[in-house]
Each structure stands twice: as C-alpha cells, then as structure tokens.
C-alpha cells in the first residue's frame, strides 16, 4: 500500500513524487516511457521557478558545475508581420534540455526514496476504499493518486477531453540545431497558422546548440523545414543551421480550461491543462502544480482530513495561483491570431510602445 501513486514521470509528476517522499510518505512513480528521451518542449524555465527546481534537484549532478553553465535568457523578441517587439525578461530565465532535466528529476526522485518505475503505463485507475492502478503487468494500491500523465493519455481519454480550438488540429514539432552565434534571447516567429520559438540551449556536453520548437496548424506544415519557410526572417536565419537531433512531434495539442481534480484524483502539469507554449511557462506550471498537489495531500495523509477536502484545497490553490496564466496566454494568442489587416497595425503600435510590450510579457509570468 502506497501513500501516493504518481502517474507520469515528467516535471510535474517528478516534482510531486519528490515533494511527497521528502515529507516521509511512501510514493510510487510510474512512467510509461524510458529515459533518456527527447520531448516536444520549448525547454524554457522561467525565473519564477528556478528556485523550486534548484530545491527539487538538490544532490543531483545537474546542480553541480552544469547549473552554472545553463544558458540564461534575459530578453524576448517577437517577430510579427515585419515588426520586431522586444522586452526584457527580468530576472532572466534559463534554458535546460528536457533530456537533462527529466533525467535529473528522475535521479532526484530515486534519491528521495521514491519507488520509480519506467515502462509502466497506467491503463486504468479505480477507487473504492483505496485507489487501484492497473498497468499491463502489475496492479498497485495507493491511498491517493496524482495524474501527471500529460495532456493526452488513456486516463485523459477516459475523461472525454476534446480540443476547444474550433475544430482546428495543431501539432508540435521540435529539434536541436547548431548555430554559430546563438542570440541571447528567446525569439518567437509568428505566422499564419502558428509560430516557432528559437532559443539558445545548454545541454551537458554541447556548445552553441539552439532549440527550435513550433506549434502549427496541421494543414499548414508537417515538418520543421516547412515551418521555417512560413516566416521570411526565420527562413533566412535557419539556412545557416545544422540539425543535430531528430525531429520529434506531438499531436493533438489540446487547449481547454484547466481542470485540477477529477474523481478525487489530483491532476498536475498538462494533465490539468495545456498552456499556450509561447508564454514559456509549461515547465514552470508543471513544477509548481506538482509541488502544489503533493502539499495539498498532506492534510489527508498526515492529519486525518478527508480526501475530498484535500482535492478542494488543491482546486482552490491551483485556480487562484495558476489560472491567470492560462487566461492571459489565451487572450494574447487570440490577439496574434487576428487577421493580418488588424494584427499588422497592432504589432506596429506595440513596436513603438515598449511599455505596453513589457506589460504583456509581465502578464504571462
């Protein structure tokens, strides 16, 4: 019998498992994949969550000399219809490859005493007196469950989730490239039907690597080369790149109002809600929601409160602290999705009003 079973070993699940195990609980962590692996991700960690990440990674190799070499990102640039909008990111964010981040978090979970198992896909979760989690080869029992299995899994499919992007189908694509002199900024190239983010990347043992990660309508592009061709400045810049990793893709991208709890199971990371990637807060939201979910269960696991109370506490805390990011990102995405006849003049106004651009950036933090 476990105190907590966490489904999904990404940043949200690992953060929840580490937090709960350090509180003295018996924790199971199930990951359907196997590390190391690439994930479609902007690999941007906002300054607001670097402290949380440092705490979670205490004692791991990544917090050694590699931490000091992480690329720091102190400026954002938005390329929209011929205009370039710039704003400082203060304090600076950091760039960490998902291969390094996921492996470090997994190592931290093992060090914290978590029973962490890879290649274990949770096929179903049932609940009567205790939770029963069934995989293809095992059955586990736990007093509580956190679902951090991502925005699309067998568990989310069972909840009947659907995209709310007016039926449009979006996909994500990512690869690493080498660039002679990477810009010390996160650059977002907006075009009809999507956008592509480019930023410097420090991965252990690599130099001058960049991450190119795009969200695009499926009828607009199906490869990164096609994405790069969608924006003149991006096309010109990318001609000097050399691809150093395979392209990874993911679909569908599901946008909806965050739902932090379902049938007494706490949802964290993308399982709770998928934020627009361009705001750069996906990893931050995952880490924060994972820690928040684990802390919300303390009253149930230690003080004898009901599981319902723990779920409601998590729901209130999540919606109060994290929902504003989803709302703001959705509004900004709608602005940049307007027809070019409206979007172009709006971009020019922002270009000549730096204070307004800084305000928009700050609202996504």
């Amino acid at each position: 019998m476990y105190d907590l079973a966490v489904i999904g070993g990404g940043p949200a699940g690992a953060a929840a498992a580490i937090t709960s195990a350090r509180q003295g609980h018996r924790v199971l962590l199930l990951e359907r994949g196997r590390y190391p692996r690439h994930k479609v991700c902007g690999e941007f960690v906002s300054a607001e969550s670097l402290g949380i990440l440092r705490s979670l990674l205490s004692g791991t190799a990544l917090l050694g000399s590699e931490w000091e070499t992480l690329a720091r990102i102190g400026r954002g640039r938005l390329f929209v219809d011929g205009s370039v909008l710039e704003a400082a990111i203060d304090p600076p964010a950091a760039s960490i490859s998902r291969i390094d981040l996921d492996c470090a978090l997994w190592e931290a979970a093992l060090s914290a005493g978590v029973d962490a198992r890879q290649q274990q896909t949770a096929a179903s979760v049932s609940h009567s007196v205790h939770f029963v989690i069934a995989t293809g080869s095992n059955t586990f029992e736990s007093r509580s469950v956190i679902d951090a299995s991502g925005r699309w899994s067998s568990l989310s499919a069972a909840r009947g989730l659907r995209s709310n992007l007016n039926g449009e189908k979006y996909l994500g694509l990512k690869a690493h490239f080498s660039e002679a002199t990477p810009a010390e900024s996160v650059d977002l190239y907006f075009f009809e039907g999507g956008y592509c983010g480019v930023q410097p990347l420090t991965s252990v043992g690599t130099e001058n690597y960049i991450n190119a990660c795009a969200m695009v309508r499926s009828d607009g592009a199906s490869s990164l080369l096609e994405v790069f061709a969608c924006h003149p400045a991006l096309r010109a810049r990318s001609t000097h790149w050399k691809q150093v990793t395979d392209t990874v893709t993911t679909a569908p991208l599901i946008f909806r109002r965050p739902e932090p709890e379902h049938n007494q199971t706490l949802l964290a990371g993308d399982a709770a809600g998928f934020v627009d990637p361009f705001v750069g807060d996906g990893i931050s939201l995952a880490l924060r929601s994972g820690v928040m979910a684990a802390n919300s269960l303390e009253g149930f696991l230690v003080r004898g409160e009901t599981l319902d109370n723990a779920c409601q506490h998590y729901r209130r805390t999540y919606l109060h602290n994290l929902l504003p990011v989803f709302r703001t990102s959705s509004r900004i995405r709608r602005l940049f999705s307007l027809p070019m006849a409206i979007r172009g003049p709006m971009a020019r106004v922002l270009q000549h009003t730096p204070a307004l651009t800084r305000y928009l950036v700050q609202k996504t933090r």
Side-chain angles (χ1 to χ4, degrees):
M1 176 64 64
Y2 294 91
D3 296 314
L4 170 64
V6 181
I7 302 169
I18 294 166
T19 301
S20 187
R22 288 177 179 173
Q23 292 167 346
H25 304 304
R26 188 179 184 207
V27 180
L28 172 70
L29 177 60
L30 301 176
E31 165 55 40
R32 64 184 175 186
R34 186 166 187 82
Y35 297 120
R37 66 179 185 189
H38 278 288
K39 294 280 287 184
V40 177
C41 177
E43 301 178 323
F44 177 99
V45 183
S46 61
E48 295 86 352
S49 291
L50 284 176
I52 294 175
L53 183 58
R54 178 184 284 274
S55 175
L56 291 169
L57 294 181
S58 176
T60 67
L62 187 57
L63 270 189
S65 59
E66 290 86 357
W67 184 267
E68 303 305 321
T69 65
L70 295 177
R72 301 292 172 168
I73 301 173
R75 178 158 291 274
R77 299 191 297 178
L78 280 65
F79 295 77
V80 185
D81 299 328
S83 299
V84 182
L85 314 178
E86 296 192 46
I89 300 175
D90 187 22
S95 184
I96 309 175
S97 79
R98 279 295 297 271
I99 280 186
D100 297 332
L101 177 62
D102 288 348
C103 287
L105 285 168
W106 191 264
E107 177 189 343
L110 291 172
S111 298
V114 175
D115 183 357
R117 308 187 185 201
Q118 300 183 52
Q119 295 181 300
Q120 291 284 327
T121 301
S124 65
V125 177
S126 57
H127 184 210
S128 54
V129 178
H130 302 295
F131 288 92
V132 177
I133 303 97
T135 69
S137 55
N138 293 292
T139 300
F140 305 94
E141 291 190 8
S142 180
R143 296 173 60 197
S144 60
V145 171
I146 294 175
D147 177 3
S149 61
R151 73 184 183 285
W152 193 250
S153 67
S154 58
L155 302 183
S156 61
R159 298 198 298 272
L161 302 181
R162 295 291 184 270
S163 170
N164 65 353
L165 284 178
N166 301 320
E168 295 177 331
K169 296 181 179 180
Y170 282 77
L171 69 148
L173 308 95
K174 186 202 84 171
H176 292 169
F177 297 81
S178 62
E179 187 175 44
T181 309
E184 295 181 356
S185 59
V186 55
D187 300 332
L188 299 173
Y189 298 85
F190 287 86
F191 48 83
E192 198 68 33
Y195 52 86
C196 181
V198 180
Q199 70 179 45
L201 174 68
T202 298
S203 179
V204 175
T206 66
E207 294 181 1
N208 290 344
Y209 278 17
I210 58 171
N211 174 317
C213 190
M215 187 189 90
V216 62
R217 208 167 53 220
S218 59
D219 61 356
S222 58
S223 71
L224 280 174
L225 286 180
E226 291 177 346
V227 168
F228 300 160
C230 291
H231 193 288
L234 179 58
R235 181 173 62 246
R237 179 180 176 181
S238 64
T239 57
H240 304 289
W241 295 348
K242 179 181 178 181
Q243 188 163 345
V244 294
T245 68
D246 293 334
T247 300
V248 288
T249 62
T250 184
L253 300 182
I254 297 179
F255 298 88
R256 56 183 172 79
R257 188 181 189 278
E259 189 59 38
E261 180 268 337
H262 179 77
N263 287 348
Q264 295 188 314
T265 295
L266 278 58
L267 310 179
D270 286 351
F274 179 59
V275 72
D276 288 89
F278 74 86
V279 304
D281 244 12
I283 293 176
S284 176
L285 288 170
L287 296 172
R288 287 179 175 275
S289 61
V291 172
M292 198 179 292
N295 286 335
S296 295
L297 287 169
E298 268 295 89
F300 168 68
L301 295 176
V302 175
R303 297 187 295 273
E305 299 176 7
T306 67
L307 183 56
D308 275 336
N309 283 345
C311 291
Q312 291 309 309
H313 177 269
Y314 177 60
R315 175 182 289 275
R316 289 192 301 271
T317 306
Y318 184 104
L319 295 180
H320 178 266
N321 290 282
L322 304 184
L323 183 59
V325 177
F326 287 87
R327 287 175 172 166
T328 301
S329 66
S330 178
R331 290 166 184 162
I332 295 176
R333 172 168 49 82
R334 286 198 295 268
L335 283 176
F336 287 116
S337 299
L338 292 170
M340 186 179 294
I342 301 174
R343 190 177 62 218
M346 177 192 69
R348 288 191 289 274
V349 169
L350 290 171
Q351 187 176 25
H352 293 93
T353 317
L356 185 54
T357 303
R358 287 195 300 271
Y359 173 77
L360 288 178
V361 171
Q362 291 166 358
K363 290 297 288 183
T364 65
R365 308 325 314 143

